[in-house]
Amino acid sequence: AQKVTQAQTEISVVEKEDVTLDCVYETRDTTYYLFWYKQPPSGELVFLIRRNSFDEQNEISGRYSWNFQKSTSSFNFTITASQVVDSAVYFCALSEETAGNTPLVFGKGTRLSVIA
Amino acid sequence: DTEVTQTPKHLVMGMTNKKSLKCEQHMGHRAMYWYKQKAKKPPELMFVYSYEKLSINESVPSRFSPECPNSSLLNLHLHALQPEDSALYLCASSQEWDPSSYEQYFGPGTRLTVT
């Protein structure tokens, strides 16, 4: 069964600090996809990134970067020079190629508070 | 336009009421989803529609009845709900029902309170 663990329930940082959100996953599939979503207080989930299991290249998008390591089954997310607007709940999610009736499995989320 | 809209934003209903939640997207997506999210929990999938046909029903009680009138609209009809059904109901859409290849776009949700 697929599983996503976000061990950090809540993180609080001061503005301009860097912060890393951890995500560890479990799957028996060789083909799978990992996602990060952001949920600000307004409620809607905002798609941030999708990564497939065959692409271990790290990715950078502005202040956001992702570190995918199959050896440790981790897909960590780093925000550089955090800003108050980054305050949100961040969900890591997993989808397997043969997921059947559970297309997308979310972790429990990490609540990030960035203090001015 | 990458927007999924949901109405109403907030809904308070009694246990004997009948109400509907509405979701709309104009991105030409052929898959639409309903999720339920309780406070401080991740979203839980309820239903998936693919090409206007119900593809997944995650053992949701019959007091929740989804409907997909056309490729842009998705409704969730509510009847005889329980207080524990109070939650944020999120609608999402994606190009196809293939979560491995297509990201889902979410609406802002309807915050439902059952009294």
Side-chain angles (χ1 to χ4, degrees), chain B residues 62-77:
Chain B
S62 58
R63 57 185 183 269
F64 295 92
S65 175
E67 178 199 18
C68 190
N70 60 55
S71 60
S72 300
L73 293 173
L74 185 67
N75 298 322
L76 186 63
H77 302 298

Side-chain angles (χ1 to χ4, degrees), chain A residues 33 35 37 39 44 50 101, chain B residues 37 58 99-100 103-104 107:
Chain A
Y33 300 81
F35 302 77
Y37 280 88
Q39 188 172 36
E44 66 187 280
R50 179 185 66 244
N101 286 337
Chain B
Q37 186 179 24
E58 290 283 18
S100 57
E103 58 268 29
Q104 296 179 26

Side-chain angles (χ1 to χ4, degrees), chain A residues 45-102:
Chain A
L45 276 84
V46 177
F47 167 79
L48 296 178
I49 191 171
R50 179 185 66 244
R51 172 69 67 212
N52 75 55
S53 53
F54 298 109
D55 182 2
E56 284 194 76
Q57 259 193 326
N58 291 331
E59 179 152 342
I60 297 175
S61 176
R63 295 184 297 107
Y64 295 171
S65 62
W66 291 269
N67 183 354
F68 177 30
Q69 293 203 350
K70 285 176 76 170
S71 60
T72 54
S73 297
S74 65
F75 186 43
N76 296 337
F77 172 32
T78 297
I79 302 174
T80 304
S82 59
Q83 299 176 2
V84 172
V85 294
D86 296 327
S87 297
V89 180
Y90 291 86
F91 290 98
C92 180
L94 166 70
S95 172
E96 295 174 327
E97 182 97 308
T98 54
N101 286 337
T102 311

